[in-house]
């Protein structure tokens, strides 16, 4: 069995006494650094989320303000349209029947129908589809207030509404002969038709022929008080929200964060309404995939539709935005604006707030390296000191041992002398 020499044992004990405090202090320091890094990372992520919440909320408030303003403008435009069509031109819907080819604006299915006769300015409304031919009433409204205008007549008992005079264009021609069905293709009631049939005005967003408009509809009643048609005024959504679009296009979050708005439902789901610098406007990203192959736009949409008023949702994902060279990890805050079916999203690359975390981590690593170097220097210094001390102690102990052995030998010799017989003692003279 190996037995260490006294010098070796002293060196081991001394080195242990040097290392132990360094290990304790170093361990505590490392734990404190790790805790500080984790706390800082959480705090920075929280600040990033707060920034996104602020950006998303600001856009939502802008949308609400814009909606209120547009509804006020639409209400005034509708009053102007009523004044021109009803009061000045005496719009009437009479029992006589007029033949039309009516096409569903959602499905495109056409059918032959006979509808009541619409009289304007004392004469039946003619079926004018050419853009260059003036249509009484509706063209005057468009010239006066800039909004599109339409006269509808009720097609049947269900309440389908047929366009018989309009300044709305489709394919370079007036969109007469198209109709708004009382029910959507999915069977749900059409909000516009339901309101008008109930004798109420409708103000809000609506699909018109082949695009979304900010609209106003006013019921036109027959002799018995029953709704027999309606008046429409509206602006294409893109034109109506141009100022808001310009603000969104310029809105940047942090260094490279951005906001965008897209539709969540219906035939236009996934269509970008607004985007940073207008890069994705009118494009459809419904099937866009993230780095893991997941349809992140669909995830954002589903999350938005589940939100209650004033609620938000933060999505973590790695996806590639327009203008990026590769997919990057992003925090994306989502709000929903149901009045216009808008998903409002504010996105920020995670690397922006993680830069500070990486810098802190790098400094922590440098501190740990320095701590290790200090420990090694202290250990080396302590080892040198203990080597010297152990050598001195060993030599001193050896001297003491020699002295003790010498003293012991002298005592032993004296004892032997004392124990010799008396006959051998010397006799005094």
């Amino acid at each position: 069995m190996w037995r260490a020499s006294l010098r070796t044992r002293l060196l081991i004990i001394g080195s242990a006494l040097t290392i132990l405090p360094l290990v304790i202090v170093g361990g505590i320091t490392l734990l404190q650094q790790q805790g500080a890094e984790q706390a800082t990372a959480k705090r920075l992520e929280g600040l990033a989320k707060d920034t996104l919440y602020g950006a998303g909320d600001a856009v939502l408030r802008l949308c609400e303000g814009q909606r209120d303003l547009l509804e006020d403008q639409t209400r005034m435009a509708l009053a102007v349209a009523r004044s021109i069509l009803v009061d000045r031109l005496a719009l009437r819907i009479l029992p006589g029947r007029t033949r039309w080819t009516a096409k569903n604006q959602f499905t495109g299915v056409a059918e032959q129908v006979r509808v009541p006769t619409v009289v304007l300015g004392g004469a039946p409304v003619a079926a004018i589809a050419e853009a260059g031919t003036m249509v009484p009433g509706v063209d005057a409204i468009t010239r006066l207030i800039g909004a599109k205008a339409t006269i509808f007549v009720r097609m049947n008992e269900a309440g389908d509404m047929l366009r018989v005079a309009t300044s709305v264009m489709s394919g370079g021609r007036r969109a007469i002969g198209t109709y708004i069905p009382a029910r959507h293709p999915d069977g749900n009631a059409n909000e516009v038709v339901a309101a008008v049939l109930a004798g109420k005005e409708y103000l809000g967003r609506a699909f018109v022929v082949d695009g979304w408009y900010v609209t106003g509809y006013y019921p036109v009643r027959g002799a018995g008080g029953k709704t027999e048609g309606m008046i429409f005024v509206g602006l294409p959504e893109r034109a109506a929200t141009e100022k808001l679009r310009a603000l969104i296009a310029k809105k940047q979050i942090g260094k490279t964060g951005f906001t965008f708005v897209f539709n969540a439902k219906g035939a236009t789901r996934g269509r970008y309404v607004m985007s940073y610098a207008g890069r994705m406007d009118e494009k459809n990203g419904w099937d866009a995939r993230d780095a893991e192959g997941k349809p992140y736009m669909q995830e954002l949409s589903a999350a938005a539709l589940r939100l209650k008023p004033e609620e938000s949702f933060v999505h973590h994902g790695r996806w590639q935005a327009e203008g990026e060279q590769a997919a990057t990890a992003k925090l994306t805050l989502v709000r929903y604006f149901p009045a216009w079916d808008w998903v409002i999203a504010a996105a920020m690359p995670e690397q922006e707030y993680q830069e500070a975390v990486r810098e802190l981590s790098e400094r922590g690593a440098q501190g740990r390296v320095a701590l290790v170097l200090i420990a090694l220097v202290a250990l080396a210094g302590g080892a040198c000191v203990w080597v010297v001390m152990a050598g001195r102690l060993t030599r001193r102990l050896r001297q003491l041992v020699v002295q003790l052995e010498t003293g012991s030998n002298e005592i032993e010799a004296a004892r032997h002398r004392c124990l010799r017989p008396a006959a051998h003692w010397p006799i005094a003279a």
Side-chain angles (χ1 to χ4, degrees):
M1 181 177 179
W2 176 79
R3 297 186 63 182
S5 65
L6 177 61
R7 181 179 179 181
T8 301
R9 280 181 285 178
L10 288 173
L11 183 59
I12 292 172
I13 293 171
S15 298
L17 292 174
T18 302
I19 293 172
L20 186 60
L22 289 173
V23 170
I24 293 173
V25 173
I28 293 173
T29 302
L30 290 175
L31 289 175
Q32 289 178 339
Q33 283 185 348
Q34 291 176 352
E37 290 176 13
Q38 292 174 356
T40 302
K42 289 182 179 180
R43 178 58 179 161
L44 289 172
E45 182 175 348
L47 290 174
K49 288 181 178 179
D50 289 342
T51 300
L52 292 174
Y53 280 122
D57 190 66
V59 174
L60 181 62
R61 301 303 169 221
L62 285 172
C63 291
E64 291 173 341
Q66 184 77 358
R67 177 197 61 187
D68 293 342
L69 177 62
L70 288 171
E71 285 189 356
D72 288 342
Q73 292 176 346
T74 303
R75 189 175 290 107
M76 288 187 291
L78 200 55
V80 171
R82 290 202 313 268
S83 175
I84 292 174
L85 297 177
V86 178
D87 299 336
R88 186 183 306 174
L89 297 177
L91 173 64
R92 299 288 184 270
I93 298 178
L94 304 179
R97 311 302 285 181
T98 305
R99 184 183 298 276
W100 281 82
T101 300
K103 184 171 71 173
N104 188 314
Q105 71 171 17
F106 294 116
T107 65
V109 175
E111 58 182 301
Q112 297 296 317
V113 298
R114 295 179 68 86
V115 300
T117 300
V118 178
V119 176
L120 190 66
V125 171
I128 301 174
E130 293 75 19
T133 302
M134 189 190 73
V135 176
V138 295
D139 284 353
I141 294 169
T142 299
R143 285 196 306 269
L144 184 62
I145 60 177
K148 301 295 184 180
T150 301
I151 299 172
F152 289 86
V153 65
R154 184 170 179 170
M155 286 172 49
N156 48 38
E157 192 60 32
D160 299 340
M161 293 289 181
L162 177 70
R163 291 179 179 87
V164 294
T166 185
S167 57
V168 174
M169 301 295 174
S170 177
R173 294 173 62 83
R174 298 177 188 271
I176 61 168
T178 57
Y179 72 91
I180 302 175
R183 292 193 172 276
H184 290 289
D186 60 7
N188 292 323
N190 185 292
E191 300 85 348
V192 171
V193 176
V196 171
L197 291 179
K200 301 176 182 178
E201 289 185 357
Y202 176 89
L203 295 174
R205 182 174 184 260
F207 191 81
V208 178
V209 184
D210 52 12
W212 288 98
Y213 279 62
V214 177
T215 68
Y217 292 84
Y218 177 78
V220 177
R221 296 178 176 84
K226 181 180 178 182
T227 298
E228 296 293 351
M230 61 185 183
I231 297 169
F232 155 87
V233 292
L235 284 172
E237 184 178 79
R238 184 175 181 86
T241 58
E242 194 62 40
K243 292 182 179 179
L244 182 59
R245 188 186 311 279
L247 291 174
I248 299 296
K250 296 177 182 178
K251 191 170 185 61
Q252 189 167 323
I253 305 172
K255 295 180 181 178
T256 58
F258 53 91
T259 55
F260 58 98
V261 178
F262 65 94
N263 294 140
K265 298 183 295 185
T268 58
R269 65 184 185 182
R271 178 183 66 93
Y272 284 89
V273 179
M274 306 173 191
S275 60
Y276 180 67
R279 294 170 180 168
M280 296 296 291
D281 289 6
E282 303 302 323
K283 296 181 181 178
N284 194 297
W286 186 250
D287 294 321
R289 304 278 168 167
D290 62 15
E292 297 179 356
K294 298 178 181 178
Y296 67 90
M297 289 281 282
Q298 297 178 29
E299 292 180 356
L300 296 178
S301 179
L305 292 173
R306 289 194 298 267
L307 294 176
K308 297 178 181 178
E310 302 303 321
E311 281 188 341
S312 299
F313 169 77
V314 176
H315 175 269
H316 292 257
R318 182 180 295 274
W319 48 276
Q320 185 174 353
E322 185 73 15
E324 290 183 336
Q325 299 299 318
T328 59
K330 297 180 183 68
L331 287 178
T332 306
L333 178 127
V334 170
R335 299 290 299 267
Y336 186 56
F337 188 44
W340 290 347
D341 183 40
W342 282 2
V343 177
I344 299 169
M348 174 186 288
E350 292 185 11
Q351 63 182 9
E352 282 200 21
Y353 72 84
Q354 288 180 344
E355 286 178 1
V357 177
R358 285 195 298 271
E359 183 178 350
L360 181 64
S361 180
E362 290 173 359
R363 291 185 178 181
Q366 294 172 356
R368 289 189 288 272
V369 171
L371 185 62
V372 171
L373 291 176
I374 292 171
L376 292 175
V377 171
L379 180 60
C384 292
V385 170
W386 279 101
V387 166
V388 174
M389 291 181 64
R392 290 179 178 178
L393 287 172
T394 302
R395 287 194 297 272
R396 181 58 181 162
L397 288 172
R398 285 175 180 171
Q399 291 174 358
L400 289 174
V401 169
V402 170
Q403 292 175 359
L404 289 172
E405 287 179 349
T406 301
S408 177
N409 291 335
E410 290 177 352
I411 292 171
E412 186 64 24
R415 189 176 68 82
H416 281 295
R417 285 198 299 270
C418 291
L419 293 177
R420 282 186 299 174
H424 298 285
W425 292 7
I427 298 175

